Amino acid sequence: MIIPSRNRRLRTNASIRALVQETILTTNDFVMPIFVMEGENLQEPIPSMPGIFRRSIDLTVKECKELFSLGIRGVNLYMKVSENLKDNKGTEAWNKNGLMQNTIKAIKDAVPEMIVMPDVALDPYSVYGHDGIITNGKIDNDATNEALVKMAISLAEAGADVMAPSDMMDGRVAAIRAGLEENGFTDVAILSYAAKYASSFYGPFRSALDSAPKENTDIPKDKKTYQMDFHNSREALDEVYKDVAEGADIIMIKPGLPYLDIVSKVREAIDLPIAVYNVSGEYAMLKAATQNGWLDNDKAVIESLTCIKRAGADMIFTYAAKEAAILLNG
Ligand code: PBG
């Protein structure tokens, strides 16, 4: 019998496979999320994220130099804020001399070409561990937007290149865009977390920053009134279209690996660059399996990141950025 066409012909050897490869992962695809804390010459491991540390500003700068020399062009910043600086409004978030502002200045001084993308959200600064200000026991959308605008302007003054609002309040992209324009920051871009789901995969991140919603209060204990319901898919497109209309430059989908159907759907729908967040819980799962010898770490890291790109990501926020860059550089 004659088989009319044989797909295996183009898989015969490594050279022919290389010629027909559709998706090529490079270090230009990565953004490294970084955790920063007060102090000097300090580095603390995060137990649920093997290989990831919280560092003081000096060691963060050193790390950024190393990341840049490996080919990584972007960092996403998160602060571990002291409990005594937290309040309901997240006031510390727009302190000109705050930890975030000083970190941005130090990185831009030392590695000016590194694209610095601070997280714009109140949760690490909130006594309640929420991304929103609480008024009468509820998340106050519009008051939160005003705070986010103040925060964004202060981060732009410190020298940040890209604002990364991760809070999921309605209308905050338009508000932040207007605030930046009015203050002369016309070149500062907005990477909007447009479709961010209320996910259990953020657990290790919240323990890294001590930023989980507090349990012992009568305010909401989860983020379901602002982050999306994971049962929904069409709603993601609606969120994305609104953020595009409000002036977002880059659209984020989060989490990554369990949500690649959403990535591929958004890829078909819009032409703006798409960022995908390979979140802390995805990283923790991979490390748990590889540390037990149940998966091959290097192969699983490269495969999962390549699959995120194949689904439609132009850039990937991933805690595995550094190790993947080392692997790709050979
Ligand atoms: C909070 C924020 C979270 C992450 C990034 N920004 C957690 C949350 O929404 O509770 C999660 C990142 C990760 O899990 O890697 N604004």
Side-chain angles (χ1 to χ4, degrees):
M1 131 152 195
I2 293 172
I3 298 177
S5 124
R6 295 179 186 267
N7 288 69
R8 290 186 55 213
R9 269 182 214 127
L10 300 184
R11 296 180 201 138
T12 317
N13 57 55
S15 300
I16 192 73
R17 289 195 295 272
L19 283 168
V20 300
Q21 222 164 60
E22 297 175 33
T23 304
I24 319 279
L25 190 68
T26 85
T27 57
N28 293 331
D29 300 322
F30 303 147
V31 174
M32 180 73 175
I34 286 188
F35 299 115
V36 184
M37 64 186 202
E38 295 285 356
E40 235 177 280
N41 199 26
L42 293 178
Q43 166 163 309
E44 285 174 7
I46 297 163
S48 52
M49 302 175 72
I52 302 300
F53 300 85
R54 272 187 299 261
R55 298 186 176 89
S56 51
I57 294 182
D58 51 344
L59 296 191
T60 299
V61 166
K62 202 170 151 223
E63 180 71 7
C64 285
K65 286 186 187 155
E66 204 179 322
L67 292 171
F68 197 80
S69 72
L70 288 167
I72 293 169
R73 303 289 169 235
V75 287
N76 176 216
L77 306 180
Y78 296 97
M79 303 299 123
K80 170 101 170 66
V81 180
S82 326
E83 288 301 320
N84 64 314
L85 294 176
K86 297 185 183 183
D87 60 22
N88 179 27
K89 295 197 166 153
T91 321
E92 177 63 14
W94 53 92
N95 174 358
K96 275 184 191 309
N97 275 313
L99 183 60
M100 176 79 100
Q101 286 77 358
N102 291 335
T103 304
I104 295 169
K105 282 180 221 151
I107 298 174
K108 289 307 287 185
D109 271 354
V111 202
E113 289 164 279
M114 182 65 99
I115 299 300
V116 174
M117 310 183 181
D119 186 58
V120 182
L122 303 180
D123 52 324
Y125 301 92
S126 156
V127 267
Y128 299 114
H130 270 294
D131 297 49
I133 294 171
I134 308 284
T135 308
N136 299 327
K138 287 191 174 157
I139 305 289
D140 188 337
N141 191 92
D142 300 10
T144 303
N145 283 351
E146 285 174 31
L148 293 173
V149 171
K150 285 188 217 161
M151 180 178 187
I153 292 168
S154 145
L155 303 179
E157 280 167 355
D161 301 283
V162 177
M163 295 299 145
S166 66
D167 57 289
M168 290 294 283
M169 294 305 125
D170 290 324
R172 93 285 203 216
V173 173
I176 292 171
R177 186 69 267 158
L180 292 173
E181 297 292 312
E182 283 158 15
N183 286 275
F185 297 111
T186 50
D187 289 341
V188 172
I190 299 177
L191 181 155
S192 155
Y193 287 61
K196 174 171 177 178
Y197 287 84
S199 170
S200 56
F201 289 95
Y202 307 149
F205 171 97
R206 292 180 190 168
S207 56
L209 294 184
D210 254 333
S211 65
K214 298 285 183 288
E215 291 288 338
N216 54 349
T217 60
D218 50 8
I219 48 127
K221 290 168 188 52
D222 59 45
K223 299 191 176 185
K224 289 180 185 171
T225 70
Y226 44 107
Q227 298 179 349
M228 284 177 59
D229 183 339
F230 61 79
H231 300 86
N232 295 353
S233 162
R234 292 193 309 270
E235 189 188 358
L237 279 185
D238 188 46
E239 282 279 2
V240 166
Y241 291 140
K242 283 175 183 158
D243 283 7
V244 172
E246 287 182 31
D249 301 283
I250 303 170
I251 289 297
M252 165 80 90
I253 315 291
K254 174 182 181 184
L257 291 170
Y259 292 75
L260 293 185
D261 58 321
I262 308 296
V263 175
S264 131
K265 198 166 170 170
V266 172
R267 175 73 296 160
E268 304 271 298
I270 64 162
D271 294 321
L272 287 185
I274 293 177
V276 175
Y277 206 134
N278 177 218
V279 301
S280 58
E282 300 170 43
Y283 179 83
M285 283 199 299
L286 184 125
K287 290 296 165 191
T290 63
Q291 288 191 341
N292 272 296
W294 297 335
L295 283 179
D296 177 314
N297 182 74
D298 298 356
K299 287 182 177 154
V301 164
I302 296 298
E303 179 180 338
S304 44
L305 297 177
T306 305
C307 293
I308 293 173
K309 185 170 183 185
R310 189 194 63 213
D314 295 289
M315 70 188 84
I316 306 168
F317 285 46
T318 177
Y319 302 97
K322 187 177 182 183
E323 58 176 309
I326 292 168
L327 290 170
L328 292 175
N329 292 337

